[in-house]
Amino acid sequence: MTIVARFTMDYTRFLDPSGKAVAELPDFARDTECLVALYRAMVLTRVFDTRAVALQRTGRLGTYASTLGQEAIGAALGEAMAPEDVLVPSYRETGAQIARGVKMSELLLYWGGDERGSCFTGPREDFPISVPVASQSCHAVGVALAFRLRGEPRVAVSVCGDGATSKGDFYESLNAAGVWRLPLVFLVNNNQWAISVPRSRQSAAETIAQKAVAAGFSGEQVDGNDAVALRAVLDEAIGRAREGGGPTLVEALTYRLCDHTTADDASRYRPAEEVSGHWAEDPVVRLRNHLVAAGVWRKAEEEALLDECSRAVEAAVAEYESLPPQEPASLFDYLYAELPAALREQRESLVRGGGGDE
């Protein structure tokens, strides 16, 4: 017998669940301002998230997908991407979207069922939230191929959950990205549950990261509750893609402390003791403990940050709720640059019937 290939999977962690460093920190993490920026982004994401769930529970928002327990992923991704890169998000990238300049009021509009929430005033080329799982992977391949054909030093980043990696769209995207060596990073938020299906019943593969091996490029695991590790791994993967080194698959190991969405009740299928055990890995507490131990974060800074975040979120809520409802005829306005004749007639009919905006 001849062995024709071997592979290993790296796993990166710098901070343990208590916030203590377990390895020499990367260069950027020696600048405490960088770590404070990461922490601030995570706290803002959590404050927004808590308020969004409350809005849904009181009938002021539609179904919402919480990011509770997964704030490190969005915050680190937002810091690692350059403004000219393109984010192709799933529905749990709130932190990354805010960091890239999407207004919180726009996110509330989206979850309130208003398409104006997908028309960002900030990152105009970032994709809107796409709920169908693994669709993000295909879209990102197209974006990255466009960068390649134009000769632009830009990177596309697609994000999906662990459940999405069982879809054909995901595998086909990996294959295309590997063959064409596209400037693309696949970031998998492995929060252990695809709605009510645990990771162990989704795939027999020992890791999700190793799925990259079959596509001919690198995959690796990272502690998804360690913002420092995530930032380091994403910096390297995005930098490699920008320099022509091809795609990378990054599997961020985390845990979904919340329901899948506000339409879900995870207590029906998930043991309470499993959830409570993972609270000990809370990414927000982990980084705060590290900052406190380093002497750069105190009670006064914490209270000021919480007040600042609450005021910013409340301003976004006020802006969201003050906007007049979208006109019914607008449902024709977002699929075509120029409406086909048949749809134009339907739109005009709707307007004539008194349901439109003209």
Side-chain angles (χ1 to χ4, degrees):
M1 181 180 72
T2 302
I3 297 174
V4 296
R6 293 182 187 274
F7 67 90
T8 58
M9 284 294 114
D10 291 337
Y11 171 81
T12 301
R13 165 188 279 183
F14 288 106
L15 302 181
D16 72 10
S18 72
K20 180 182 176 183
V22 294
E24 183 177 355
L25 297 182
D27 289 342
F28 80 87
R30 298 193 184 99
D31 180 352
T32 53
E33 289 188 8
C34 287
L35 297 186
V36 169
L38 269 176
Y39 181 66
R40 293 174 67 87
M42 292 165 68
V43 171
L44 178 59
T45 303
R46 181 162 293 188
V47 172
F48 174 86
D49 197 69
T50 302
R51 191 71 173 98
V53 172
L55 288 171
Q56 194 280 331
R57 298 302 190 212
T58 52
R60 295 154 67 187
L61 200 69
T63 298
Y64 173 75
S66 173
T67 62
L68 184 63
Q70 298 146 89
E71 295 88 349
I73 297 173
L77 179 57
E79 293 285 330
M81 291 181 69
E84 64 270 21
D85 296 335
V86 168
L87 174 64
V88 188
S90 179
Y91 41 80
R92 228 179 284 278
E93 281 63 66
T94 304
Q97 289 185 295
I98 294 174
R100 288 183 57 73
V102 177
K103 295 169 61 177
M104 290 185 283
S105 58
E106 291 170 338
L107 292 174
L108 293 172
L109 279 171
Y110 172 81
W111 292 110
D114 190 321
E115 282 300 324
R116 289 174 292 186
S118 296
C119 188
F120 309 141
T121 53
R124 297 291 297 174
E125 293 187 292
D126 278 8
F127 275 41
I129 293 170
S130 180
V131 172
V133 295
S135 58
Q136 304 81 17
S137 308
C138 300
H139 300 160
V141 165
V143 173
L145 180 59
F147 293 160
R148 164 65 56 78
L149 294 175
R150 296 171 185 166
E152 297 174 345
R154 305 167 68 188
V155 178
V157 179
S158 78
V159 192
C160 64
D162 44 294
T165 68
S166 299
K167 299 276 289 185
D169 285 358
F170 181 77
Y171 288 106
E172 292 157 13
S173 299
L174 292 186
N175 190 63
V179 169
W180 295 330
R181 292 188 64 76
L182 296 179
L184 172 54
V185 174
F186 297 94
L187 175 57
V188 177
N189 178 343
N190 180 0
N191 63 23
Q192 312 299 324
W193 286 88
I195 308 182
S196 59
V197 181
R199 160 73 176 86
S200 60
R201 289 175 53 197
Q202 296 172 46
S203 172
E206 189 171 356
T207 72
I208 289 173
Q210 71 195 60
K211 296 185 178 184
V213 175
F217 57 89
S218 298
E220 59 185 304
Q221 281 190 333
V222 60
D223 185 334
N225 289 352
D226 177 357
V228 175
L230 279 159
R231 170 71 193 277
V233 168
L234 289 170
D235 276 350
E236 185 175 345
I238 291 172
R240 182 165 53 245
R242 197 182 313 283
E243 294 167 5
T248 302
L249 192 164
V250 176
E251 177 188 2
L253 288 168
T254 183
Y255 188 82
R256 199 187 78 212
L257 294 172
C258 48
D259 294 329
H260 184 263
T261 68
T262 51
D264 175 43
D265 177 6
S267 67
R268 297 179 63 186
Y269 55 80
R270 204 169 57 171
E273 55 272 23
E274 177 184 307
V275 180
S276 60
H278 281 283
W279 270 103
E281 301 171 349
D282 185 338
V284 176
V285 174
R286 183 184 307 201
L287 187 52
R288 182 171 65 227
N289 286 346
H290 181 75
L291 294 173
V292 170
V296 298
W297 198 255
R298 293 170 289 274
K299 183 179 179 182
E301 280 91 354
E302 181 71 12
E303 291 176 346
L305 175 59
L306 289 174
D307 181 62
E308 177 187 329
C309 291
S310 295
R311 283 188 282 109
V313 169
E314 289 309 316
V317 172
E319 183 178 351
Y320 157 65
E321 294 193 315
S322 67
L323 202 63
Q326 200 169 20
E327 296 293 341
S330 66
L331 66 90
F332 292 96
D333 295 343
Y334 295 97
L335 290 178
Y336 297 91
E338 185 173 340
L339 274 180
L343 291 179
R344 188 165 60 247
E345 290 175 7
Q346 289 182 35
R347 187 183 191 284
E348 291 169 354
S349 175
L350 179 63
V351 172
R352 285 196 300 273
D357 56 357
E358 296 175 1

